Every structure is written in C-alpha cells, then in structure tokens.
Amino acid sequence: MTANSKPPRKRGGQPSSARANGRRLVAVPDDEDEQAWDEFDDDAAVYPYVDAAGELLFEVVREPDKRFRQRRPDGKGGSVWKLGDVERVAYRLPRVLEAVANGERIHVCEGEKDVGALEEAGEVATCNPGGAGKNLATLDVLRGAAEVWVWQDRDDVGRSHAAKVVARLADHVASIRVVEAAQGKDAADHLAAGYGVEGAVEVKVKAQPEASPYESPDRRLQAVVGALKAQQTDVHQWEARCPGHDDRNPSLSITLGEDGYPKLHCHAGCTEDDGWPGFRTLLLETVGVPSWALGKADEDAVEVELKRLLGELDEADRDHIGRMLTKEQLHALEPPDWLVDGYLPRVGVAVLYGQPGIGKTLELIAISESVARGAAWHGRPTRQGAVVFYEGEGLAEFGPRIRAYEAKHAHDGDEAPMLFDAEGIDLTSLPSLAATVRTVRRLAKDSPYPVRLLVVEPLIENMSGDENAEGMDAASRGLRALARALDLCVLVGHHTNASGERARGNDKLRARVHSMFRMEPLGTASNARAIVAEKQRNGPLLALEVLMVEAAGSVVFQHVREVSSDEFVSQRDERREQAQQMKRAARKEADRSKARELLSAAITDNPGASQKKVVSACKSKGIGTGALEDELEAMRQDGAVRVETGPGTMKRHFPTVRERAAMTVARRTQMPDPPDPGSTPGRGRRPRRRTSNLS
C-alpha cells in the first residue's frame, strides 16, 4: 500500500461521476472488493479507523496541503466532519490485537503514512489518532506485547512524542526500543531511501516527565496555545479552530484568566457551562492538552489523572455512578477501621507536625516499627504490614535511632519488610506519584505482608511550589490520591510555621487529611513531649504524654499516660496560666525592688524633696508613675522615709538613718576596686562633685 492509497472503507454512497461542492466523489475499493464512496480532494489520502470487529468508526483525511481532517459516518451513507463522542482507537486495531496475541513485533509510528510504509515492508504497525501526543490512551492495546519499536521522528515534536509513548508502555510490554530513520525524518523516509527495517538507528530516550501540576501561568497558556495550534491575534489573545465542532474558521478565543489559567471561549457555544466538562475531556483526551495547564476539574482530578498515567482509567471513572451507594448499602457499611487504634486510619492521610528538633522523626520511626511488628504503639494495637518510608532529609541518623528503638522494645516475632528512601518524592508531580504507586505495589507483590503504611517526611522536602498557595493544594491532593490508589495509610511529618503556632502552609492540608497531631513540649522538662490530636475524622481526640529517654547510644520516647485532648488542653492551659501568673508576680516584684532603689537614691541625695519631684526624678528609669507613687507610699508606711509637712500642704521626704545606711552600703558594693598600691599611679583626677537631681 502506498502512502496516498485509499485504505478500505465500508460505506455505500453516490456514483463516481457525481460532484458536490467542487469535490470529486471517488470510488475506493476495500479488501473484499466492496465499493465505498465519499468526497475528498484529488490526491487526498483517507485512513479508516475501525473497531476490533472491523466496523468503521471514523476516518482521517490527509489533504494534499498536509492538513488533516476527521469525519465519521452519519448513518445515512454520508459523513459528518466532526467526531463528537465516537470512540478513539489505535490505527489498524484488529491486526494489532492479533499481533499482541501472537507475540509479533509491533511498530508505533507518529502517523498513518509511516504505518503504511512499514506494512509494505511486511511489518505490523500502528499509531494513535490525531498526531503527536494526542489520544495516547489508544495505544494501551499494546500492553502485553512481546516487542515494541517506537519510531521517533527527527524533530523536537517527534522526540517528545516518542518519550510519552515509552512512558506509557515501558512497564507493560516485554521489550521496547526507540529507533529513528537512518536517512530522512521518519519511517517512510527511511524505507524510501532503501534501508531495511533492521537498519533503523536505535536511540536512547528517557521517559519524559509531565510538568508540575502548577507551572507558571505563561507555561499553562503556552501549553494550551501549542496544543490547539492557535494564532496570536493581540498582545494577550489567541484564536484557534474549536475541536468541539466542525470549525472552518477559528472561533475559539484563548486568553489568560485572572486565576492564572487559560480561559477558553467558543463563539459557537462549546465552552458554555453545561458543555464545559465534556469540552475539557475533549481537550485532555483528543487534543492532548496537559491537565496541569487547565487547572483542577473537581476533587477527583488528581486521582483520575494518576489512573490515566498508570493506565487504569476505565469508562467507570468518567462519571460518578459507579462509586455511588444506595441507602441500603450505606446501612451495610462497616465502621471505619484503624491502622493504629484510635490514631491512624487504615486508609487515609495523617499528619504529625511540630517544631524542628522536637522529635517527630523518632515517633514516625516508632510507629513504623510498631506496624512492621504488629506490636502496640504506646499501648494501642496496630495492624501488621510492610512500611515504605520516604525521608527527604537523609538517613544518616536512622540507624542509631532504630537500634535505640529495638533496644527499648525487644521483639522476637516476625517483622514485615521496611524500606527507606533518602531522596523523597514530589507529591505535586503525577509521574512521581505514579512511580510511588509502582514502588509500593512491587513491594506488596514480593512480600508476604500487605503494605500498610507509607511515610513521607518532611512534607516541605517532598513537594514543589508555594506551600502557602497552589503547592500545598497539589501536595494535599497527591497525598490523598496515594492513600486511595494504594489502600493504605499515608503518614506525613510536617513542621510548624515560624511562630510555632500552627502547621506550615495554608489550610488545604488540614482540610483534606483524616487525622492531624501536634507534637509540643510538655511543661518545663526538656525531655517531655505531648502528641495532641487536633483533628480525628473517625474517632475521639486523644493526647499522649511521652518522655525522651536514652537507649543504645540514642534516644526513644517512653509512654507516660494517655488522656483526651480536651483534658490535656485544659490542664495545659491551666499550667500555662499559672506560669504566666508566676512570671507576672516575679516581674512585679522586680519592678517594686527597682522602684524602691530609685526612690531611696533620690531621697538620700535630695533630702526634703516633695513627692512630685522625687517621682519625677525616677520615672525616666523605666518605672511608671503609678508604680513609683505606690512604692513611695509603701516606704512611708514601713518607715523607710521620714515625712515632714512643709509650707502649705507640701510633704517633704527625708531618708531615715536605716535607709541612708543601706544606700551607703549599696553604693559601696557598686564602686570599682581601688588601684593596686604597687602600680604606677596615673594622672591625678579631681573627684567629680555629686550634684543633686532635684532643684
């Protein structure tokens, strides 16, 4: 078959002599010599896409100017130049399915012309409809294939496309390799130059990671503009042909919205509110716009995209009916289950946060060890299972801490596997989430124990973006997606903010987790800690008091008691109030002592001064007028000063003999030591004359 040959189609139509709208209606025979008719330009190539049974679904028409159009049967012998919701499938689907079943080699190309060239060379080949990067899910039919060759076009688009295909299929086929033409751009050029299939040049390609879910606004806009091949019409505006209808003239306007995400408006109504969900799906699945460029669709966006990346998205995930329950099913639900009784849910996200250095990692290790052993954690039973621990701050101190725990908590039973990683993951990256899912599933496959616990610590080292904005939103969605995809508990270590009053970042994390605990100092003891539940979706709020003790050259926490969070907070607040009262009393006593000292000095140096002048001389020393007047009155009452009535009603203040003697002693203790008699005398100085502070 040549590149411009007309592949088989199964539709009747008008005779070949007819013309319509300036187009010639050409007869195209299929493999069974049946006649099918439709309209297209001279020398145009038509590529039919059929289902597994060989029934025509749609066609791709390649015009002489290399413009591609798509059409589907209208059921009346004609065509509709709009695919709508017709199923997208891989090119040459029946032959591909047969090759997968028979273990034959299958080539994946970027376009139908290359497929035809490889078929003429005796190979089985396919491609996804729509071109590079589009409808990649149609290639999932290759999963289970024995050998796949991915032909990489010699340009940036081709390299990007090949990387995406490899990323999608690499874990699901026995062998995969990437090749490119020895001469020319693509497979068709390679074969036309006289090279055989085996003469293709093998290249190394790294699976291309998807961009972070929250790239910059400009990156989001460029991703949408590029996928739609839009043309810029103004400084901040682009136009493109709308993929939602047969758009001969660009009717889709694209601008950047105030929220930092592209805003699309189809003048034919495709993007109206009632049609936007379907239009968004069209952009994602057919056009190839990355989901991170469009923003979140709903609360399930990350889970759906993660399933898509893992190749697990099925028709049931496209709406919510499959997951909804009737009232009868609700009544039959089992109560929520625990991984650590009363503290960690069996499936969900829990957070333990506190100041750096408070001891969070010690408790995360203790919880992990308890789960791996199936042993109690501070008296609370656990479910035994394997543990995966992602530590973003390195594992240098983990060995001593684990040995300390083992020395303090002897155990002679079986232990489930525990795996530790020193590099961490990126909770805001879909490829990183997918790699984490594969890691946990591989451990579960190789272990006799189910994986029960995934620890991620600290959160800030396992995410990208602004923790006070979209970064935390993406990270919290990623945590929840992991818990649901893996059916386990995800336990997160996190830090307080700079003031130590709350967890770092915005409230998206708190809103999405099942359980949230704060670790804080307990009282004045340096080794006492409290673990206080601030949120517990499925049970009462509890609090633990623990003590850090030495063991095997390191430290562990030892259980002291467990109370309700309300009781703990009440007692803590009472202790804090008592401490504040003691501080206030001590501060008041210090102020009184200082005030008495200042007043005594002023009266001693200026006997006979009035109250106003005595207080005025002292209040610039950091003590308020009221406190000075109160202390002066106290000195009168206890006889520290002598008061005489002067002219009129003025009271004159004189120091008593006792107070004068005390002041003399106090001043002597503050004088510097006399010079050494043996030292060289310095230049003589006349003593400074003491002057009164008062007039």
Side-chain angles (χ1 to χ4, degrees):
M1 182 188 300
T2 64
N4 288 329
S5 64
K6 310 304 186 291
R9 296 166 302 161
K10 298 182 179 179
R11 253 196 350 267
Q14 303 178 26
S16 59
S17 59
R19 288 181 175 268
N21 299 327
R23 296 179 181 270
R24 185 165 58 88
L25 302 181
V26 181
V28 183
D30 63 13
D31 291 340
E32 300 172 356
D33 293 328
E34 295 179 1
Q35 298 294 313
W37 307 86
D38 211 337
E39 66 171 290
F40 48 83
D41 287 330
D42 292 342
D43 300 322
V46 180
Y47 306 108
Y49 282 75
V50 300
D51 62 17
E55 292 297 323
L56 180 66
L57 296 173
F58 62 93
E59 293 174 323
V60 173
V61 178
R62 183 178 186 270
E63 302 283 6
D65 59 0
K66 294 186 179 181
R67 186 164 64 96
F68 290 84
R69 301 176 64 198
Q70 297 173 321
R71 63 186 180 185
R72 58 181 171 83
D74 63 1
K76 302 176 182 178
S79 299
V80 177
W81 291 94
K82 175 182 177 181
L83 295 189
D85 59 358
V86 67
E87 180 187 5
R88 274 67 165 179
V89 296
Y91 191 46
R92 299 295 199 231
L93 179 60
R95 183 66 183 95
V96 170
L97 294 174
E98 180 184 350
V100 171
N102 295 336
E104 300 176 65
R105 180 170 63 190
I106 304 173
H107 298 261
V108 178
C109 309
E110 190 173 314
E112 296 88 355
K113 182 181 73 170
D114 300 314
V115 172
L118 284 164
E119 286 178 336
E120 285 191 340
E123 299 288 323
V124 179
T126 186
C127 67
N128 49 289
K134 312 290 180 62
N135 298 298
L136 293 178
T138 60
L139 299 177
D140 289 348
V141 294
L142 275 71
R143 295 186 174 193
E147 183 180 6
V148 173
W149 285 25
V150 180
W151 284 79
Q152 173 180 286
D153 281 13
R154 286 180 173 271
D155 55 25
D156 290 342
V157 174
R159 284 184 282 272
S160 174
H161 176 68
K164 291 177 181 178
V165 173
V166 171
R168 191 170 193 94
L169 297 179
D171 292 341
H172 305 282
V173 298
S175 171
I176 190 167
R177 61 188 299 200
V178 179
V179 298
E180 63 182 15
Q183 181 176 332
K185 176 185 177 182
D186 49 31
D189 292 343
H190 172 86
L191 295 170
Y195 291 91
V197 173
E198 301 297 335
V201 179
E202 185 170 5
V203 296
K204 299 295 183 182
V205 63
K206 182 178 180 181
Q208 178 175 316
E210 292 190 14
S212 170
Y214 293 98
E215 288 282 5
S216 67
D218 286 342
R219 288 288 304 277
R220 298 171 189 147
L221 182 62
Q222 291 304 318
V224 173
V225 167
L228 289 167
K229 299 179 181 178
Q231 300 295 320
Q232 190 165 6
T233 58
D234 203 344
V235 179
H236 301 294
Q237 187 167 348
W238 285 257
E239 284 187 352
R241 287 188 173 89
C242 177
H245 69 281
D246 184 17
D247 194 5
R248 301 298 178 90
N249 297 310
S251 63
L252 184 67
S253 64
I254 306 168
T255 58
L256 187 62
E258 295 181 357
D259 59 356
Y261 286 92
K263 183 178 180 181
L264 290 82
H265 174 69
C266 174
H267 297 283
C270 297
T271 56
E272 297 300 323
D273 289 344
D274 58 348
W276 171 250
F279 189 78
R280 185 181 191 278
T281 300
L282 180 67
L283 294 175
L284 292 172
E285 298 184 3
T286 302
V287 179
V289 175
S291 59
W292 53 264
L294 295 176
K296 58 182 181 293
D298 55 32
E299 287 296 304
D300 299 321
V302 174
E303 285 93 318
V304 171
E305 295 303 319
L306 181 56
K307 284 185 177 182
R308 188 190 312 281
L309 195 61
L310 292 168
E312 299 172 357
L313 189 66
D314 56 32
E315 205 59 40
D317 293 303
R318 300 177 189 275
D319 58 41
H320 299 161
I321 292 297
R323 73 183 193 205
M324 290 185 171
L325 303 178
T326 64
K327 287 197 299 182
E328 292 74 15
Q329 291 171 320
L330 284 176
H331 295 321
L333 287 176
E334 295 290 333
D337 205 355
W338 299 98
L339 176 65
V340 177
D341 182 47
Y343 286 86
L344 303 185
R346 189 187 70 78
V347 179
V349 181
V351 174
L352 174 64
Y353 79 97
Q355 298 175 1
I358 193 90
K360 299 184 303 298
T361 305
L362 287 176
E363 273 310 325
L364 294 175
I365 290 175
I367 294 170
S368 301
E369 285 277 8
S370 299
V371 170
R373 297 176 174 192
W377 176 72
H378 293 297
R380 288 284 181 161
T382 65
R383 282 177 172 265
Q384 188 174 17
V387 179
V388 176
F389 201 123
Y390 286 98
E391 171 56 56
E393 293 181 335
L395 300 173
E397 297 185 8
F398 268 54
R401 291 173 176 177
I402 291 175
R403 285 193 294 272
Y405 179 88
E406 292 173 343
K408 185 68 176 177
H409 303 277
H411 180 71
D412 56 3
D414 294 335
E415 290 190 17
M418 296 176 65
L419 294 182
F420 298 86
D421 177 86
E423 297 184 11
I425 59 177
D426 188 350
L427 293 162
T428 66
S429 165
L430 285 170
S432 182
L433 292 176
T436 305
V437 171
R438 296 188 188 104
T439 300
V440 173
R441 288 177 177 174
R442 181 172 177 182
L443 174 59
K445 181 179 179 181
D446 297 338
S447 168
Y449 295 91
V451 181
R452 299 281 193 193
L453 180 63
L454 173 64
V455 184
V456 180
E457 204 271 330
L459 178 58
I460 190 63
E461 297 295 338
N462 290 277
M463 61 175 284
S464 300
D466 186 350
E467 63 183 347
N468 292 304
E470 67 272 8
M472 185 63 76
D473 184 41
S476 60
R477 290 176 183 274
L479 288 167
R480 187 178 59 185
L482 287 175
R484 292 178 177 178
L486 294 168
D487 194 41
L488 49 60
C489 177
V490 180
L491 178 58
V492 184
H494 192 32
H495 292 147
T496 57
N497 60 3
S499 66
E501 297 176 351
R502 59 193 299 275
R504 288 181 61 159
N506 63 26
D507 288 332
K508 296 293 187 180
L509 180 66
R510 182 183 296 270
R512 292 195 173 106
V513 302
H514 289 72
S515 311
M516 194 156 194
F517 303 91
R518 177 189 178 99
M519 178 176 273
E520 60 184 51
L522 180 60
T524 58
S526 61
N527 63 339
R529 303 287 188 271
I531 302 172
V532 188
E534 295 182 338
K535 178 181 180 181
Q536 186 62 271
R537 187 173 294 178
N538 298 325
L541 298 177
L542 301 172
L544 285 172
E545 295 180 5
V546 296
L547 202 63
M548 186 183 292
V549 297
E550 293 185 357
S554 186
V555 291
V556 295
F557 282 117
Q558 177 177 290
H559 180 79
V560 176
R561 69 167 186 154
E562 179 186 82
V563 295
S564 71
S565 289
D566 288 343
E567 181 180 352
F568 172 83
V569 170
S570 176
Q571 294 174 356
R572 179 193 64 189
D573 292 347
E574 183 177 343
R575 289 193 298 268
R576 288 179 176 175
E577 180 58 31
Q578 291 174 352
Q580 289 298 323
Q581 289 177 358
M582 294 177 62
K583 287 182 179 179
R584 287 193 292 268
R587 191 181 302 113
K588 185 176 181 180
E589 183 60 31
D591 289 345
R592 284 192 60 188
S593 178
K594 184 177 180 181
R596 178 172 286 248
E597 180 182 345
L598 293 171
L599 291 167
S600 295
I603 294 171
T604 300
D605 293 341
N606 304 278
S610 67
Q611 172 176 311
K612 181 177 180 180
K613 290 183 177 180
V614 170
V615 171
S616 177
C618 298
K619 67 180 182 181
S620 62
K621 307 298 184 180
I623 306 296
T625 300
L628 290 167
E629 291 176 346
D630 291 344
E631 189 58 29
L632 184 58
E633 178 61 29
M635 293 174 70
R636 295 191 195 110
Q637 296 295 329
D638 62 19
V641 296
R642 180 169 54 86
V643 180
E644 295 181 4
T645 303
T649 59
M650 183 181 72
K651 294 180 179 180
R652 302 176 66 188
H653 297 77
F654 298 88
T656 62
V657 174
R658 183 188 67 184
E659 195 68 21
R660 187 188 296 275
M663 181 56 61
T664 300
V665 172
R667 284 175 171 169
R668 282 177 179 173
T669 60
Q670 297 173 3
M671 292 177 62
D673 294 335
D676 185 353
S679 63
T680 303
R683 177 179 295 180
R685 296 183 181 177
R686 298 178 61 186
R688 193 173 73 176
R689 181 181 178 185
R690 179 178 294 276
T691 59
S692 171
N693 293 327
L694 309 176
S695 59

